[in-house]
Amino acid sequence: MNLSYFSQKDFYKSLKQFYSDLNIPINPVTEAPDSADSILSETYNANNPAHKLMDDVYFVGMVSEEAFTKQREIKYSAAAKDIKTKDYDCMLLFGVTLKAGRPPSRSQLAEITRAFNRQFSYYPVVLIFKYGESIAFANCERLAYKQAWRAGEKAGKVSLLKDIAFSSPHTGHLKILQTLEIVRSGNKAITTFAGLYKYWQEVFSVSVLNKSFYQELSNWYFWALSEISFPDDSEKNDEVRTAENSIRLITRLIFVWFLKEKGLVPDELFEKNEVDKLLDYRKDKTGSAYYRAILQNLFFATLNVPMDEREFRDEKRDMKGRNDDYMNHRVYRYADLFKKANSFEALFGEIPFLNGGLFDCLDHRDENGKVIRIDCYSDNPKNAARLTVPDKLFFGSDVVDLSEIYDDRRKNAVEVCGIIDILNSYKFTIAENTPVEEEIALDPELLGRVFENLLASYNPETQTTARKQTGSFYTPREIVNYMVDESLKAYLATTLGDDEKTKTMLDQVLDYGDDLPELSEKQRQ
């Protein structure tokens, strides 16, 4: 999908082109923009910092049952605020330009989206924001009021596809935008407004995105199990050893990916064209140059070492071929794998020091002084063949038979991609999602889900025993939210009373809607 027209056309025409690209039929309204306070007469707050960001508001039109059958002009009437029916049967489409300045935060975009959805309580509202060289796509969940007598619906969770650069959109953004496109003929045709609304709710589900990512990652993991090898000094069981090291690699790499998203690790370390300029792949006989020279040096001698203490290993050796830095895992290695000596130090120089333990090299001496290799961070020639993590696992692809692993004959020819390619194809965010707003991107909660799910799979006998033995159970956010709310209600009821009126009041206090109950001074305290 080419979004460059957002920089070439006026905003209204760009919005029409955008929905046309998604194959969405709309009843057009007017090209003239209006002001935010005029459109949001009931919910606009001139003192709200988020509302102050709004410049012009464009009412693009409606997606309705009628729009799927024919296009017709409708009279513009204060953004259709006078149209009210018992059950909504259309979706309102707005475009909002934001004032120049710093890019808006997720919370600011969500607050504006809620204001529109509260204003039009009978219809779901979809907004496209334009700011700088980016756009954002906002969708709002609609929830029924608990009070049966109340008309319309209340605004629920806001889902955002944020910071879409229309000149060079991220692959992850394009993937989701292309998924929003509908077909209007054939077996999977969407031919009604109700069908569109349901489909878009599914697309704007972070859980669906997580599931898609985890499926690709799982395929990679099972492919990697057949390709990598680590020393058996500590764990003698080949399957368990390979699985543990693969999971550790994934965990370290995803953590680094969030650091990269925060701008703390340079993108060049994960771009094939840039890496090719650094490495001399021919020097590594196991085909593992990227893992050794880039990732091991990043994990152990960069993230695990204070910035002013980083240096290359001493090259002077004793009669046994050892040097002063033997078993010192806080110095850089594999100088021979770089085309130019120390050519990567500039890239690593500004990466922060993390003292959390995830990037500790696990190679050590046992109580008898024997060297135990686990990570095998060594450029001693005798250890070279003990570690194999092929470059194709990071940049490349293959077709593998996973039918036995998944117990599914249809999985006999699965196309798998390198893990760097997989990570590059998804948008990540460093801000964790909340019950009231979420960015359609992979957030840090993903680490817990990935770790638990993969850990549960590596024991070939019981599948779950491995996870139970470590006590590693990850509770999904939805369940945590429910448990916290119910615990607070139960606690507060011990002071306020356990009658139905109090329960209803507590439901409202802990609800994410706009209506708060009237509270006495005692209740407030």
Side-chain angles (χ1 to χ4, degrees):
M1 178 180 287
N2 186 348
L3 301 176
S4 60
Y5 47 76
F6 276 103
S7 62
Q8 299 165 0
K9 299 180 180 180
D10 69 59
F11 191 38
Y12 180 81
K13 291 180 180 178
S14 297
L15 292 169
K16 290 189 68 176
Q17 180 66 54
F18 177 78
Y19 286 112
S20 175
D21 290 347
L22 297 182
N23 205 19
I24 306 298
I26 60 175
N27 291 324
V29 184
T30 178
E31 296 187 17
D34 209 334
S35 62
D37 59 342
S38 174
I39 298 290
L40 303 176
S41 58
E42 299 171 19
T43 59
Y44 181 79
N45 181 352
N47 295 318
N48 187 311
H51 293 190
K52 288 181 180 179
L53 293 177
M54 289 186 281
D55 198 353
D56 288 329
V57 178
Y58 294 80
F59 181 34
V60 184
M62 297 181 177
V63 183
S64 62
E65 298 297 337
E66 190 168 24
F68 275 96
T69 57
K70 62 179 181 179
Q71 295 275 337
R72 71 178 180 89
E73 295 286 340
I74 61 172
K75 182 180 179 182
Y76 176 67
S77 179
K81 285 186 290 188
D82 61 331
I83 304 174
K84 291 189 177 181
T85 58
K86 183 177 181 182
D87 297 311
Y88 66 76
D89 57 2
C90 73
M91 180 187 296
L92 305 183
L93 307 176
F94 285 91
V96 180
T97 57
L98 301 182
K99 295 173 182 174
R102 294 177 60 184
S105 68
R106 184 182 70 185
S107 294
Q108 289 172 329
L109 294 178
E111 179 57 40
I112 296 172
T113 304
R114 285 192 203 94
F116 274 85
N117 276 273
R118 289 167 182 163
Q119 178 75 54
F120 305 102
S121 61
Y122 289 85
Y123 306 103
V125 178
V126 168
L127 293 100
I128 293 180
F129 299 92
K130 182 181 179 183
Y131 47 95
E133 297 299 309
S134 300
I135 59 172
F137 194 109
N139 184 48
C140 187
E141 181 183 35
R142 307 287 291 196
L143 302 172
Y145 286 108
K146 290 187 177 181
Q147 303 91 340
W149 53 268
R150 298 196 65 164
E153 293 180 314
K154 64 180 179 180
K157 179 173 61 182
V158 174
S159 298
L160 290 159
L161 198 59
K162 186 175 174 286
D163 300 338
I164 308 168
F166 40 74
S167 59
S168 56
H170 189 281
T171 305
H173 283 152
L174 286 177
K175 186 186 296 185
I176 296 172
L177 289 176
Q178 287 162 356
T179 306
L180 289 171
E181 182 180 351
I182 65 171
V183 292
R184 293 165 61 186
S185 61
N187 294 333
K188 297 183 178 180
I190 293 176
T191 58
T192 65
F193 159 74
L196 173 66
Y197 180 76
K198 180 181 178 182
Y199 175 66
W200 272 12
Q201 288 298 105
E202 292 173 355
V203 173
F204 274 95
S205 169
V206 170
S207 61
V208 173
L209 181 68
N210 286 339
K211 184 177 180 180
S212 172
F213 173 77
Y214 182 70
Q215 183 60 67
E216 287 196 63
L217 191 65
S218 294
N219 291 343
W220 180 90
Y221 167 70
F222 291 121
W223 174 38
L225 294 181
S226 64
E227 297 285 345
I228 72 173
S229 63
F230 281 79
D232 63 355
D233 294 356
S234 177
E235 176 57 65
K236 300 300 181 183
N237 184 303
D238 182 62
E239 288 187 46
V240 172
R241 181 178 68 256
T242 305
E244 286 180 341
N245 282 289
S246 298
I247 294 169
R248 191 178 295 117
L249 168 58
I250 291 171
T251 305
R252 286 168 170 167
L253 191 53
I254 293 180
F255 192 96
V256 167
W257 212 259
F258 284 110
L259 295 179
K260 184 176 80 72
E261 186 67 26
K262 198 171 175 65
L264 299 175
V265 175
D267 292 339
E268 291 90 330
L269 296 177
F270 309 99
E271 295 173 355
K272 185 66 165 61
N273 291 338
E274 296 300 322
V275 171
D276 289 347
K277 297 175 185 177
L278 293 173
L279 299 182
D280 186 347
Y281 297 101
R282 300 169 299 174
K283 296 287 185 66
D284 190 285
K285 304 304 181 185
T286 67
S288 308
Y290 181 75
Y291 180 71
R292 294 181 198 272
I294 300 297
L295 293 187
Q296 284 197 320
N297 276 327
L298 173 62
F299 295 161
F300 309 134
T302 304
L303 292 167
N304 205 41
V305 178
M307 297 171 70
D308 59 351
E309 297 178 18
R310 297 169 186 169
E311 59 183 0
F312 258 96
R313 181 173 59 83
D314 185 357
E315 293 300 323
K316 296 179 180 179
R317 297 176 180 270
D318 60 21
M319 296 296 291
K320 294 183 178 181
R322 298 177 179 177
N323 59 32
D324 291 340
D325 284 323
Y326 180 69
M327 291 298 289
N328 176 9
H329 304 119
R330 296 164 61 84
V331 292
Y332 294 123
R333 286 169 164 75
Y334 312 118
D336 61 316
L337 295 181
F338 291 93
K339 292 179 178 178
K340 296 180 181 178
N342 305 353
S343 60
F344 77 107
E345 284 187 294
L347 288 173
F348 282 46
E350 298 302 314
I351 297 174
F353 163 53
L354 303 176
N355 59 345
L358 178 61
F359 301 105
D360 285 341
C361 178
L362 300 182
D363 296 347
H364 64 281
R365 294 180 186 271
D366 65 12
E367 60 274 12
N368 299 315
K370 180 182 177 181
V371 173
I372 304 297
R373 296 286 180 185
I374 297 176
D375 282 312
C376 202
Y377 183 41
S378 169
D379 55 2
N380 190 317
K382 72 176 185 180
N383 290 320
R386 304 190 72 202
L387 172 69
T388 302
V389 187
D391 296 324
K392 67 178 182 179
L393 290 177
F394 300 98
F395 303 98
S397 62
D398 203 349
V399 176
V400 295
D401 183 357
L402 301 179
S403 57
E404 184 176 348
I405 291 170
Y406 286 115
D407 193 23
D408 186 344
R409 288 181 294 179
R410 295 171 298 179
K411 302 279 189 180
N412 65 332
V414 177
E415 184 173 349
V416 289
C417 297
I419 190 169
I420 302 298
D421 294 329
I422 293 173
L423 294 173
N424 272 321
S425 70
Y426 286 86
K427 190 70 176 71
F428 285 72
T429 175
I430 57 175
E432 285 203 41
N433 290 321
T434 74
V436 290
E437 59 190 45
E438 61 183 20
E439 186 176 349
I440 310 304
L442 302 175
D443 75 347
E445 182 187 29
L446 181 77
L447 269 173
R449 292 183 182 273
V450 167
F451 180 75
E452 181 185 43
N453 289 331
L454 291 181
L455 198 59
S457 72
Y458 85 69
N459 189 316
E461 297 177 359
T462 63
Q463 293 293 299
T464 58
T465 301
R467 182 175 64 179
K468 289 180 178 177
Q469 288 175 347
T470 63
S472 304
F473 281 97
Y474 187 84
T475 308
R477 181 186 290 120
E478 297 81 6
I479 297 177
V480 173
N481 293 336
Y482 175 79
M483 291 165 61
V484 171
D485 281 356
E486 293 305 306
S487 297
L488 284 170
K489 291 176 188 176
Y491 168 74
L492 292 170
T494 62
T495 301
L496 300 173
D498 200 20
D499 56 276
E500 287 303 316
K501 184 177 180 181
T502 302
K503 289 180 179 179
T504 300
M505 182 268 289
L506 291 175
D507 283 341
Q508 285 182 277
V509 169
L510 293 173
D511 187 23
Y512 294 104
D514 2 323
D515 299 323
L516 283 175
E518 292 186 9
L519 302 176
S520 67
E521 185 59 29
K522 178 184 176 182
Q523 289 172 331
R524 289 179 184 276
Q525 291 296 331

